[in-house]
C-alpha cells in the first residue's frame, strides 16, 4: 500500500505491552474505556516518544502524557 511503503511498521514489544496495560487500567478506573486498538496506538506512541496524528482526537482524549495532532481540519 502507499502508506506501508512510506512509514515504518512498529512491532508491539514488551515495553509497549506494559504501557498498554497501564493506560488500559487508567481508563478502566476512570470509567472511560476505549477500543483496544486505540490503546495500542496510544501505547506505541507513548513508548516510542511519537505523536498520534488522527482525524478523531476524542479517541485519545485525557490519556496522560500522550501528544495528539488533530488532522480533522
Amino acid at each position: 500500500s502507499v502508506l506501508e511503503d512510506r512509514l515504518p511498521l512498529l512491532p508491539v514489544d514488551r515495553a509497549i505491552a506494559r504501557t498498554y496495560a497501564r493506560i488500559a487500567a487508567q481508563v478502566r478506573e476512570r470509567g472511560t474505556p476505549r477500543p483496544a486498538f486505540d490503546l495500542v496506538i496510544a501505547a506505541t506512541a507513548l513508548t516510542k516518544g511519537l505523536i498520534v496524528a488522527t482525524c478523531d482526537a476524542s479517541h485519545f482524549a485525557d490519556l496522560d502524557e500522550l501528544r495528539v495532532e488533530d488532522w480533522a481540519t
Side-chain angles (χ1 to χ4, degrees):
S1 84
V2 173
L3 287 180
E4 194 172 11
D5 295 338
R6 293 181 179 189
L7 300 174
L9 299 177
L10 302 175
V12 175
D13 58 20
R14 285 186 183 177
I16 292 170
R18 285 186 191 111
T19 303
Y20 171 88
R22 179 177 56 82
I23 63 176
Q26 286 175 353
V27 298
R28 189 172 42 252
E29 288 171 8
R30 290 180 189 158
T32 57
R34 310 289 160 76
F37 196 70
D38 288 344
L39 295 180
V40 171
I41 293 168
T44 302
L46 285 167
T47 303
K48 302 293 183 181
L50 302 171
I51 299 169
V52 174
T54 180
C55 288
D56 193 347
S58 69
H59 286 216
F60 303 98
D62 77 359
L63 293 178
D64 297 340
E65 304 169 24
L66 183 65
R67 296 179 300 161
V68 178
E69 272 190 27
D70 188 350
W71 285 19
T73 55

